[in-house]
Every structure is written in C-alpha cells, then in structure tokens.
Amino acid sequence: MNVVILAAGQGKRMHSDRPKVLQALAGKPLLEHVLDSARALQPARICVVIGHGGEQVRAALDAPDICWVTQAPQLGTGHAVLQVVPQLDPALPTLVLYGDVPLTRVATLRRLLTEARGSALALLTAQLDNPHGYGRIVRSEGNIRRIVEEKDADDAERAIREINTGILVAPTDSLARWLPKLGKHNAQGEYYLTDIVALAVADSLPVRSAQPEDAWETEGVNSMAQLAALERIHQRAQAEKLLALGVRLADPARLDVRGELVCGRDVFIDIDCVFEGRVELADGVEIGPHCVLKNSTVGPGSRIAAFSHIDSAVIGAACVIGPYARLRPGATLGAEVHIGNFVEVKNSRIADHSKANHLAYLGDATIGQRVNIGAGTITCNYDGANKHRTVIEDDAFIGSDTQLVAPVTVGRGATLGAGTTLTRDAPPEQLTVSRAKQLSVADWKRPIKLKK
Ligand code: UD1
Ligand code: MG
C-alpha cells in the first residue's frame, strides 16, 4: 500500500512555537509514532504532507523512506491528499493517517486494510458517547452513505454517535478521480476528504468500516491537555503490559517509559521511575524510587537505590548502586560492584567486587577487582585541554580524599594514604602517601582578641 500522513495543520490550540506533530509523547515526536506504525505495515511509499513549520518537521524526522510534500496554503484534508496523489503508486491502495493521532495500533490498521480488500473504501469509525466535533457516519439500511461534518450537520445527524476517525483506506486510482471533483461549499469553506464517501457511493463502490479495540487509538492531539491525557493513557497501557509479564510495580500510575523497557523475571520497580531509550533489567533487579535510567543494562540481582541517575551504563550482576549514584556514559561495572551516594562514574570500567561507597568522581579510569575507593577520591582526568586515564590495579586500597592526577597508575595491591595527591605511579604492594608530616607545637598560644 501507499501511506499518506497528514501533518500540515498548525495546531493553534497548543499555544506553542513547536510544530504540533513534533510535540513529544513518551519522549518521541507525535509524527514519529505515526511513522513507526506506518513502517510496521511495510508500505511501498510513505508520503507526509507538511505545511506549518514544515521545514522544521522535515529536518527533525527526515529519512530515505519518506517523501515530503508541502501543502500551501492549507485548504482542507481533501486538498492535502490531492497534493500527494502524483507520488502514489496507482496500483496499490492508499492508507491515510493523521500526524497528530499517535497511538493507533498496527493491528487495527491491518484490520482496516483487510476490510478494504484492495478495491473498496474502508473507514475507521468509532462509537462515542460524546461525538461532538467529529464528522458523523451517515448510514441507511446499515450501509455507509456519506460523512457529515459537525458544523454542516442537522440535529438528527448530530445525534449520530458513530464518528469518522479520519483514518481510511481508498483505492488510489479512484482517489485520483474523486479528489479534483471536491467542492468547498460547506460551513468551513474547505475541501473535505470526507466527501469522497458520497462519491464512492455514487460510483457503486463498496464502503466498509472497521473499529479500533480502544477509543484512545484514534484520539488526536489538539491541546496540551489532550497531549497530557494521551501520555497518561499510553503510560498506563505500558505499565499494564509490564504487569502482565510479571514485573512488580509499586504503582502502575507512577512509572514513565519513554522508549523500550525489557525486564526479566521478578523485577521490582518502585514509584516515580523514568526509563528512556532502551533499558534492560535482568532477573531479580530492584529499582528504588525516583530513579532515572537511560540506554542501560542492569545485571541479574542488582539493586539500584533511590534517586540514582543511570545513563548509557552497563551494570553487572549483584551490584548495589545508590542512593544518589550517578553513572554516566561508558560506566561499565562488573559483578558485585558497590557505588554509593554522591559517586559519579564516567567512561570507566570497574571490575568485580570493587567499591566506591561515598562521594567520589571516577572518570576515564580502569579499576581492577576488589579495589576499595575511599570517600572523597577524585580522578583528575582533565588538565584543561585533554583527558587522561587513571589505572588502578587489582586489590589496591585508595585512602579517603585522594586525588589521582592522570595519567597515573596505582599498582596491584598498593595502598594510598588518605589525602594523597598522586602525580607519579604508585608501585604495587607499597604504601604511597603524599602529605605534609604531622607536627604538634607544644607551646603554641591561640591568638586572643585585642582590647580597644
Ligand atoms: C477531520 C475530519 C472529521 C473527523 C476528524 C477526526 C475532514 C473534513 N474531517 O476533521 O470527519 O471526524 O478529522 O479528527 O477531513 N490537515 C492538513 N491540511 C489541511 C487540513 C488538515 O494536513 O489543509 C491535517 C491536520 O494537520 C490534521 C488532519 O489533517 O492532522 C485533520 O485536520 P483537522 O483540521 O484536525 O480536521 P477536523 O476538522 O478535525
Ligand atoms: Mg482535528
């Protein structure tokens, strides 16, 4: 099939400078949700009709499989589809989607395509308790005869509760014949795509319909309130999926997945966690409250305590992270590693059983096994121009408040005394300390305030 996505509208009611279809739902632009659904159907072509903010939309989402068509001025949905007809394969049916309707299930679109059977017109319709604002489906003897827009409808038509979602499948050769015939003698003075229904009936072409499983699949975004409402619906649906797979959630209403979250068995996620990009949690992982995890993997049995921030990190098995830990891109932890409060790790490997439990910065470091990093340790990895590596070999003990001025190596089994500023390599097995010798002054008198 061909896919046409209508995305030229302005979205005035958003009160935002950003084009409406670039507003994010679950961390992804609305239009990208629609493009992903379209791609899942493996269409021959995807054409996107742009207008308001068109260049910005194109720049944000351009890809080799998209044909962008500009509609200027915007004279209605029928006019919008007419602009792309020359780009479509006339031998294949055309599926019309809206760039601001992000959550339609691919299975629903497949059902609609099945209804069209290549040659009929098929409309995705829905029964709504409150159909206000939508085009109504006018049937006689059960057959669809036409669509009437809210603003053009009489009282009897307004009472109809079956509405046009706007999503449809049409034979492309028929579309090419119908669209130039559309008039704009209606309440809005626009070329209505919906008028093709009456033209199909006049051509004795069958008009069929399919319905979505859930009403929210066809809800569009016209305001920030609707965007927020759809976000909650989407997040709830994702939480239900996780629960169904056996993930224990402290509160399914307080979880946000902005990407893909893959969980093993017996995973527990406490309240108010945000997952971005692709995150994998292995069997038995526990995530404490208020954590943010992005593009990371967490090994089996690891625990991440409250308020931790994990970005592009790989965490091994049975690690204990946080509370208040920060793992930045390139943090790679082995098994049973402990990273405690206010410890920041960036672009560093930390091997099995090593610990940095309090207040440290470990950047551009390679740390061996069973290393203990004392509180207040800092790798001075940046000299103001270049970054350098720190290597700490197995079984080293780094005393508190140590600065490791990179490039520098701490040998296997070495001990650094507290307060050391290490500027040269520390040999294995020895104590290295750089610290002024301690002295006590026996006859020292504390200054006293002078009397005026
Ligand atoms: C349309 C339908 C209505 C349906 C409703 C569902 C028509 C005439 N009416 O009405 O039956 O119930 O959607 O939400 O089609 N667009 C363009 N170019 C234009 C006009 C619109 O690309 O010139 C795009 C918009 O960006 C939007 C979509 O088409 O994504 C729908 O446009 P909108 O103005 O929201 O149509 P409605 O009046 O809501
Ligand atoms: Mg609309």
Side-chain angles (χ1 to χ4, degrees):
M1 86 226 63
N2 307 289
V3 172
V4 173
I5 303 175
L6 301 187
Q10 186 173 11
K12 258 191 220 147
R13 280 175 285 162
M14 299 298 285
H15 299 290
S16 164
D17 292 335
R18 184 184 301 221
K20 176 164 75 174
V21 293
L22 291 186
Q23 299 285 353
L25 182 132
K28 189 163 89 173
L30 294 174
L31 179 56
E32 200 177 337
H33 285 269
V34 183
L35 285 168
D36 287 350
S37 309
R39 286 180 177 128
L41 298 166
Q42 296 179 297
R45 287 229 93 166
I46 300 178
C47 294
V48 184
V49 182
I50 46 175
H52 281 280
E55 280 318 304
Q56 216 178 320
V57 174
R58 182 184 182 144
L61 295 172
D62 204 9
D65 62 341
I66 303 176
C67 146
W68 302 92
V69 177
T70 302
Q71 181 204 16
Q74 284 92 44
L75 303 179
T77 48
H79 179 255
V81 177
L82 181 62
Q83 309 308 304
V84 298
V85 166
Q87 312 294 332
L88 305 175
D89 182 342
L92 298 172
T94 294
L95 167 66
V96 177
L97 302 173
Y98 286 3
D100 56 2
V101 178
L103 297 181
T104 320
R105 285 195 179 96
V106 173
T108 300
L109 298 176
R110 287 220 170 88
R111 277 209 310 284
L112 186 67
L113 286 156
T114 306
E115 279 303 320
R117 292 178 203 119
S119 62
L121 179 59
L123 309 174
L124 191 66
T125 73
Q127 294 284 344
L128 297 186
D129 292 336
N130 177 13
H132 181 81
Y134 289 96
R136 308 296 207 283
I137 306 294
V138 180
R139 292 180 184 257
S140 68
E141 289 156 9
N143 295 319
I144 298 177
R145 311 301 299 179
R146 60 194 175 88
I147 296 176
V148 60
E149 292 302 301
E150 166 92 22
K151 288 182 179 145
D152 301 292
D154 60 29
D155 287 348
E157 288 163 340
R158 267 191 221 117
I160 298 170
R161 284 175 36 203
E162 187 184 11
I163 62 101
N164 172 36
T165 65
I167 294 170
L168 58 83
V169 178
T172 304
D173 49 354
S174 307
L175 259 187
R177 268 187 297 111
W178 297 328
L179 293 174
K181 289 194 213 167
L182 297 180
K184 49 175 184 166
H185 308 293
N186 51 54
Q188 302 183 79
E190 286 181 6
Y191 297 97
Y192 287 169
L193 179 60
T194 44
D195 285 347
I196 66 170
V197 176
L199 294 174
V201 171
D203 278 359
S204 309
L205 201 81
V207 183
R208 303 204 177 88
S209 66
Q211 283 73 39
E213 211 175 300
D214 290 295
W216 49 257
E217 288 184 61
T218 60
E219 274 173 36
V221 172
N222 297 298
S223 64
M224 287 298 180
Q226 285 172 342
L227 180 59
L230 267 194
E231 176 82 45
R232 285 307 102 208
I233 287 168
H234 178 62
Q235 293 301 343
R236 186 72 199 200
Q238 294 196 107
E240 299 294 341
K241 263 191 218 165
L242 292 169
L243 291 169
L245 291 170
V247 178
R248 190 158 64 91
L249 301 176
D251 183 353
R254 280 184 288 172
L255 166 82
D256 278 56
V257 180
R258 301 175 190 154
E260 192 185 359
L261 174 60
V262 182
C263 294
R265 292 179 78 82
D266 296 303
V267 166
F268 171 65
I269 300 172
D270 213 325
I271 59 162
D272 289 336
C273 292
V274 177
F275 297 90
E276 297 177 6
R278 186 183 158 88
V279 175
E280 276 178 53
L281 308 179
D283 294 352
V285 165
E286 291 184 14
I287 310 288
H290 305 283
C291 290
V292 178
L293 285 88
K294 179 177 181 181
N295 293 323
S296 294
T297 64
V298 183
S302 284
R303 271 189 299 126
I304 304 205
F307 297 102
S308 293
H309 194 281
I310 316 285
D311 180 3
S312 306
V314 176
I315 297 171
C319 290
V320 180
I321 312 293
Y324 297 101
R326 180 164 184 216
L327 301 187
R328 290 173 51 202
T332 305
L333 314 185
E336 294 182 44
V337 170
H338 291 194
I339 301 293
N341 42 243
F342 308 106
V343 174
E344 174 181 347
V345 181
K346 185 216 75 169
N347 188 31
S348 293
R349 298 188 151 267
I350 303 181
D352 302 353
H353 310 289
S354 287
K355 294 176 183 165
N357 272 328
H358 339 262
L359 303 160
Y361 173 59
L362 303 171
D364 303 307
T366 304
I367 298 171
Q369 299 187 23
R370 296 169 303 278
V371 168
N372 188 85
I373 306 280
T377 296
I378 292 171
T379 53
C380 307
N381 59 327
Y382 184 51
D383 58 16
N386 296 298
K387 304 251 168 82
H388 303 280
R389 281 202 87 74
T390 299
V391 176
I392 302 175
E393 294 178 354
D394 293 349
D395 299 297
F397 180 97
I398 311 297
S400 296
D401 197 24
T402 293
Q403 298 101 53
L404 299 133
V405 182
V408 76
T409 296
V410 178
R412 172 184 286 265
T415 299
L416 300 191
T420 291
T421 300
L422 194 73
T423 51
R424 282 174 286 124
D425 292 354
E429 308 296 342
Q430 298 180 22
L431 168 69
T432 299
V433 59
S434 80
R435 192 195 286 168
K437 274 231 156 57
Q438 182 169 325
L439 79 134
S440 302
V441 180
D443 56 356
W444 183 76
K445 290 275 181 292
R446 193 185 287 178
I448 50 167
K449 208 164 193 163
L450 296 171
K451 285 202 175 95
K452 280 194 191 147

